[in-house]
Every structure is written in C-alpha cells, then in structure tokens.
Amino acid sequence: MRNGDRDRTRADGLRSPTITHLQQASSGRTFALHLLIVLVLLATAQTYDGSIHGLGHWIVLSAYAVASIVLMLVGLRTAPDTGIPAGPAQGWLGWGSTLLNASVAIYVLIEHMFLGAADTEEAAAAASRLPAFLILLQTALTMRVWHTFAFAGLVTAGWGGAIVFVYLSPESHHLGPHVTLDEEVPGLLTFLVASLVVLDGMRRLTWAVATTFRLERERLMLTRFVPAAVAEDLAQGGDPGEVQERHACLFALDIRGFSALTRTRPPQQVFEVLMEMRALTHRAVTERGGIIDKYIGDGVLAQFLVGPPQAQARAALTCAEAVQLRLTALNRRLANKALPTLRVTIALHAGDVLVGVFDDGHRAEFTVLGPAMNTLARIEARAKAADLPIAISEDFRDLLAGSGASGLNWIPAAVEDSGASGPRLYAVAS
C-alpha cells in the first residue's frame, strides 16, 4: 500500500471521534439554517400571486418549521453534554434533517418551474434556487460527506427529472409563466458543478482535519515516553504513530564490578549508589538532547536521535565525557559518606535503527531495535574487557572526523576476541 493510501486509511479509521464531535457541534447552526430557509419560503410566498400557490407555500412552510423544531429538540436531548447516549439517534437525526432539507429544496424548485411568476421572474427564480445552494453549503459545513452527497443527488435528480418531464411533453405547457428551460438547465448545471466542488473540498477538508488531529494525538502520546523536543522531531520526520527508520547515536553505560559490590555491601547502600549513578546519567543525557531508553540492572541505554548524525555524535561524546567528569565528583561524595566508589564503562556506536512506541496490546514502551543495538552490546563487552572508560566504534569515529574532535586512538581487539568479527574499537584519550 502506498504511503498516501495508508495515510488516508488511517485517517478514515480515526475520523469518527474527531469528525463526529465537529458534526455534533454544528447542530445549533443547522437549526439556524432551517429558520433561515423558513424565511426564504416566506419571502417566495409573497413573490407569487394566486391563492392555491400561496396556500401550498404556507403548508410547506408550516410543515418544515414544525419538523425543524422537532429535530432540534431531539438533537438537544441526544447532545454529548446531556449525558444521554446518542447512539443511532444521531445517525437517523442527521439523515432525517438531510431528507427534510432535500425535500423542501426540490419542492421550491419544482413549484417555481410549474407555477412560474407574475412580473418578478428574476427574483422568483433566484429565490427558488437559494434554498438548494444554501443547504448544500450548510450540509457541507457539518462535514457529513455522505449526507452532502445524498442531498446533492436528490436535488439534482428531482430538478433534472422535472426538466426531463417538461422536455418530453412540450405540448402540455407545464412550465409556468416567465419560466423557460433555457434558464432551468444552466441553473441545474450550476448546482451540479457546485455540488462536485463542494464534495471534493469536503473530502479534502475531512481528511486534512482527521490527519491533523491524528498526528497531534500521536505526538502527544510520544511525549509520554520522550521529551517534547524529541517527540516534535519524530513527528516532523514521519508518522509518529508508526515505527520509523532513523539514524541514531547509541549510548550504553555499565558499572564496573557491580556484581561484587552487591555481594559485599548492604542492599540499602547498593540501592543508594545505583540511584545516584542513574540520576547523574539521566541529567547528562537529557541536557544534551538524548533520551534514556531503559535501565537494565546496573546498566543504562540511551539514544541521541535529534539532529544530523554529526551533531548526534558530538552530543553523545560530550555526554559520555560529562558522565565521567561528574562521576569523579560523585565518588568524592560517596567516599565522604563511607559508600563505595564507582567505575563505569561507556560504549558509543552509530547506525540506523527502528525507533518508535512498541505496543503489544499489554505494554507499550518507546525503544529502538536493529543490528546497531547488537553491535553496541559487543562494543560494550570488548570495552569492559579492555578496561576502557569510553569506547567508540569506527562508525562513530567517522562521524566525529569532521567535527573537530581529537584524542582518538585505535585500540586493537583483545586476544580472546581476536577470532570474532566486530567493528574496530577506539578509546577516547583523557
């Protein structure tokens, strides 16, 4: 499925709550339009002469007014803020209003054709067509595409059927005074073109509104997991509700000798030290635009996703250097409290990953997946074996080559790792 088709499909799936709310909010304007149409019918009743003709107008006017009031009262009872469930009521209420509007529009059009006008044919013709065009626009503003399509189709069929009937029986003189098919046919074509334009505009508008609300909702959902700046960047880079393939600089931290620490120290001391280290790392990562992916025991996984790859690499490297620098100050505080000091290894790697909110229906989490994550784990293991404070991969080093970073020296693989395939490893000099 193409991206555009997928977007439209998803927009249609999410359209109901958003568009339905807007449709329900338009009920008051719909009733106001009904009253306006009643005034138009009243005006047209005064335009013609003849008692039978006038009586017909008054009957239609009264029926339309009563039906409009009934629909308004039912609509108020099923409004969302009344607490009464709308359910199917809103559906048949909308269709009832559409059919009522179509009926009165067809009546006014056909009545003008068959009864005509006295000396004000231009005003009468305009007044007879006004309800059709006015209701067409109002129905479109309710954002009910199928209702608008039905209204336009019914009016076109009724108006066109009357024209065909008159054309096929010219000898019967069905047309009223001052009415000709030369005027009615262009009027019908104008209404048909206006209907097509309105329907196309409605389709575009409803899709745009639904898509905008969906993207905003998914962006807000991302802010549950990541900072607002990262969520905004993900939303601009693609559909925030879907997993994206993006470049990322990956950060992994591991506390050296933590297992031995848990065996030799009381649990409360271990917990306090671990929380201090996590807080230190979290501040260093978030200050530079990164996000903490997860805490795994004594380890921390983070990503830098925002900006071009070179900027990601600089942010990740300065973050690692800040962690090591702040760790020195933390160790002094720990020593003053007779708590064990810490040593950490930080591994940095760069590559393309799949990033997004992974939701299996039971638990949702924002994370990244891909071969780059596996490579990061191997880099971290080799860095720990070589006792490196900060280790970076060759891909990460290439990103730093043009950024002014210095002090990078190649560290060969350990003897026990020489038979394994893996990226070259670099250490950051103090």
Side-chain angles (χ1 to χ4, degrees):
M1 182 181 292
R2 295 176 300 178
N3 291 337
D5 295 337
R6 183 171 63 248
D7 289 344
R8 285 178 172 81
T9 300
R10 297 198 59 192
D12 289 339
L14 293 171
R15 179 178 298 173
S16 180
T18 301
I19 303 301
T20 299
H21 178 75
L22 296 177
Q23 293 169 352
Q24 294 169 349
S26 67
S27 58
R29 293 192 302 271
T30 301
F31 177 68
L33 175 68
H34 287 176
L35 295 180
L36 180 60
I37 300 304
V38 169
L39 295 178
V40 171
L41 289 174
L42 179 61
T44 56
Q46 302 304 316
T47 302
Y48 304 117
D49 55 356
S51 58
I52 298 178
H53 179 89
L55 178 61
H57 259 77
W58 285 110
I59 293 175
V60 172
L61 176 63
S62 301
Y64 187 75
V66 171
S68 298
I69 293 174
V70 171
L71 290 174
M72 180 200 69
L73 294 177
V74 175
L76 291 177
R77 284 185 54 82
T78 58
D81 55 354
T82 61
I84 300 176
Q90 286 291 343
W92 71 256
L93 186 65
W95 281 111
S97 178
T98 299
L99 294 176
L100 176 65
N101 288 333
S103 299
V104 75
I106 293 172
Y107 167 79
V108 175
L109 288 166
I110 295 179
E111 184 193 39
H112 170 70
M113 286 183 59
F114 289 167
L115 296 180
D119 299 324
T120 55
E121 63 275 12
E122 294 183 359
S128 69
R129 296 168 189 172
L130 182 59
F133 285 91
L134 204 60
I135 301 175
L136 173 67
L137 293 177
Q138 176 59 26
T139 308
L141 290 176
T142 64
M143 304 184 77
R144 295 183 172 97
V145 178
W146 284 107
H147 289 249
T148 307
F149 179 81
F151 174 81
L154 289 173
V155 173
T156 301
W159 195 355
I163 292 175
V164 171
F165 174 76
V166 172
Y167 178 78
L168 294 178
S169 55
E171 70 285 350
S172 58
H173 304 289
H174 291 295
L175 288 177
H178 306 289
V179 179
T180 66
L181 292 184
D182 291 339
E183 295 179 353
E184 293 301 316
V185 171
L188 173 60
L189 293 178
T190 301
F191 178 80
L192 182 59
V193 172
S195 299
L196 294 176
V197 172
V198 167
L199 286 169
D200 182 67
M202 282 187 64
R203 182 185 61 84
R204 295 173 183 271
L205 178 61
T206 53
W207 178 81
V209 169
T211 301
T212 300
F213 273 84
R214 174 176 57 81
L215 293 176
E216 180 63 16
R217 189 183 73 171
E218 292 174 349
R219 186 189 69 81
L220 292 175
M221 180 189 68
L222 280 176
T223 59
R224 295 169 47 203
F225 303 94
V226 299
V230 178
E232 187 68 29
D233 184 79
L234 291 173
Q236 293 177 357
D239 190 340
E242 295 183 350
V243 175
Q244 303 178 24
E245 183 176 359
R246 294 174 64 97
H247 184 277
C249 284
L250 309 174
F251 173 107
L253 178 147
D254 185 77
I255 300 177
R256 304 298 308 278
F258 189 78
S259 297
L261 185 66
T262 59
R263 293 192 297 268
T264 58
R265 293 285 184 166
Q268 187 58 38
Q269 287 189 359
V270 174
F271 175 79
E272 184 176 350
V273 169
L274 180 60
M275 292 301 102
E276 289 273 10
M277 192 66 230
R278 284 187 176 183
L280 182 154
T281 305
H282 184 274
R283 288 194 299 271
V285 169
T286 55
E287 286 171 0
R288 290 157 181 82
I291 58 173
I292 298 293
D293 186 336
K294 58 177 64 74
Y295 299 103
I296 307 175
D298 61 319
V300 181
L301 288 177
Q303 295 94 33
F304 293 81
L305 300 166
V306 178
Q310 293 78 9
Q312 295 174 1
R314 288 193 299 270
L317 178 59
T318 57
C319 175
E321 292 173 333
V323 169
Q324 292 289 2
L325 183 63
R326 296 177 184 183
L327 181 58
T328 302
L330 174 61
N331 280 332
R332 286 197 294 267
R333 296 198 304 273
L334 294 176
N336 292 335
K337 295 191 294 185
L339 294 174
T341 58
L342 302 174
R343 295 170 55 240
V344 300
T345 288
I346 299 175
L348 302 174
H349 181 48
D352 293 330
V353 294
L354 293 177
V355 56
V357 177
F358 292 80
D359 187 355
D360 60 5
H362 301 282
R363 180 170 181 250
E365 65 173 353
F366 182 90
T367 189
V368 300
L369 298 174
M373 294 297 295
N374 300 329
T375 303
L376 177 68
R378 295 199 299 270
I379 293 171
E380 181 186 9
R382 293 170 59 194
K384 290 172 62 177
D387 197 20
L388 301 177
I390 301 177
I392 64 176
S393 67
E394 188 171 18
D395 292 333
F396 194 94
R397 175 183 178 274
D398 291 341
L399 292 177
L400 294 172
S403 63
S406 59
L408 303 176
N409 300 296
W410 177 60
I411 304 297
V415 175
E416 63 271 19
D417 198 35
S418 59
S421 60
R424 286 186 175 183
L425 203 61
Y426 292 80
V428 178
S430 303

